Amino acid sequence: MALKPASLAHGSAERSKEAEFENLKRKIHGKLVDKLDLTKVGDLAPDVLRREIRLVVEHLCDTEETLLNRSERDRLIEEILDETFGLGPLEAILKDPTISDILINGPKNVYVERRGKMEKSSVVFRDNDHLLQIIDRIVSKVGRRVDETCPMVDARLPDGSRVNAIIPPLALDGASMSIRRFGSNPLKLEDLLNFKAFTPEMVMLLEGAIKARLNIIISGGTGSGKTTLLNTLSSFISNHDRIITIEDAAELQLQQDHVVRLETRPPNIEGKGAITATDLVKNALRMRPERIIIGECRGPETLDMLQAMNTGHEGSMTTLHANTPRDAIARIETMIMMAGFELPLKAMRQQVSSAVDLIVQASRLQGGVRRITYITEVVGMEQDTIVMQDIYKYQKSGIDETGRTRGHFESTGVRPTFMEKLEAAGVRLPASAFRQRVMMQD
C-alpha cells in the first residue's frame, strides 16, 4: 500500500482540525442563542452587553470537553462574539486599516486589496447560507432587502463603506459582495498631500474656488478616489452654509453643522415606491439649500443639477465617471439626453458651460497610485464648442521597480479667468502659483 506524503497528511490533519473548530463554534453559538434573553439584551449598552456575553461564552467553552489551547480558546470566543454582534468572518478584515477593498466571490473565495495589490484572504464563510445571512445583516440595517425577487442591492456599513451585493439566481457561484472601504477616520487634506495626490498650489486653488462658490465637478474612473476627494474638499465649505447631500448610499462624511443628508430609495417588492436622485434634487431645491452636493451623477438628475447651479445654488459639487475632463463634458451631455428632453446641442452646451466652472480629474494609475491628473477650467463657448483650459496637470514619466507609476505635476502657465471671483471672495493667490514650471516630482 502506498504511503501518503507527509505534506498531504499534514494538510488533511489541518483541514480536519479546522472542521472540528467550526463545528465547536457552531455548537457553542447555538447554545448561546438559546441562553440569551432577547427582551433584556436591548436594554444594555453595546460594550456592557459584549462584556456580559463574553462571560457566558467563556463559561460555555469551559463546559465543552474538547481540548483547546489558550490561543485557540481566545480565537473561538472572539469569532463567536463577531458572529453574534458583528459581521462574522468579515470582522477580522474590517479591523485591518491597510485594506481598501474586500471582494467576496462566493463563500470560499475572499479577496482583498492591500496597498494597491490584490491578494486572496484566508477568511472563508461556512457556506452560501452563512454568507447570505451576513449580507442580509448588512442591508437590513439601512432599511434595504435582498432576496430572489430583488437579488441586487447597494448598502453601506456604519463607517460609510460602500457595499454592493448580488445573490443567486443572478450570481451563479454563490452570493457575491464587494465592499469599498471608507475607514472610520476619513482621509484629511494633510493625508492626501503626504500621499502626493496633489501639490500645495493645487490645494490653494481648490480652496479658493470653493470659498468663491465656484461649481466643481470631480471626474474619474472607478476606484480613483472621487468620493474621498469630495469629502476632503468639502472641509473648505463655510460652517454657516446650509448643505444638502444626495446619494444612492450615504457615504459622504461632511464635518459642517448645517447638513441635510438625503438618500435614494429602491422600489419595494411590488416594484413601487422608488425615489430617484432626480426626485431628491427637485425636492432639495425647495429646501432652501445654499450648496447641493450629489454623491454621483449618473442619469437624468444631471440636468436638474445643472439648472440648480445656474439658478443661484453656486458652490455645488458632484462626481461622475469619466477618464479626462473633455470626456466628463461629453458624459454630462449624454446624461442630459437621458432626461428625455430634445434640447438643441448648442443650448445644451450653453447650459453646461455656464453651470460648470472647474473640473478636477482624479485617476488611479498603475500600482494603485492615485493622483489629481488635471485641474481644468471651463472657460465658456466658442460657436458650438465648449472651451476648456488646463491649469495644472500630472505627467507620467514611467514605472518604478515596484510597478508603481512615476511622474510629476506641472503648472501650464495659464492664469484662470475666474481670478476676479476669487479676489472678490477675499482669496488672494500668489502670481507664482500659475508660473509655468514642474512643481513636484514623484
Side-chain angles (χ1 to χ4, degrees), residues 37 52 192 297 369 380 384:
D37 184 350
E52 293 289 326
L192 294 183
C297 276
V369 176
D384 289 350

Side-chain angles (χ1 to χ4, degrees), residues 337-353:
M337 292 176 192
M338 291 166 71
F341 298 108
E342 296 290 331
L343 286 175
L345 187 63
K346 186 169 184 178
M348 189 194 308
R349 289 182 174 171
Q350 281 174 335
Q351 277 271 346
V352 175
S353 66

Side-chain angles (χ1 to χ4, degrees), residues 90-155:
L90 283 180
E91 287 293 329
I93 308 179
L94 292 170
K95 288 171 185 168
D96 187 342
T98 64
I99 291 174
S100 56
D101 280 286
I102 303 168
L103 305 169
I104 301 165
N105 310 334
K108 303 300 181 187
N109 293 307
V110 179
Y111 292 85
V112 297
E113 184 183 88
R114 184 183 273 112
R115 299 186 181 93
K117 298 277 177 66
M118 193 69 71
E119 57 189 66
K120 188 167 184 177
S121 169
S122 59
V123 168
V124 293
F125 293 83
R126 197 166 52 243
D127 50 33
N128 198 54
D129 288 340
H130 186 203
L131 175 53
L132 286 171
Q133 183 186 347
I134 298 299
I135 292 173
D136 190 58
R137 198 176 292 179
I138 292 171
V139 302
S140 60
K141 282 183 180 175
V142 291
R144 304 202 172 184
R145 62 186 180 83
V146 60
D147 51 40
E148 284 192 10
T149 58
C150 182
M152 298 182 292
V153 67
D154 285 313

Side-chain angles (χ1 to χ4, degrees), residues 206 251 402 429:
L206 292 172
E251 302 166 57
T402 64
L429 298 182

Side-chain angles (χ1 to χ4, degrees), residues 41 44 50 136 234 275 330:
V41 162
L44 296 173
R50 193 176 177 99
D136 190 58
S234 69
I275 304 295

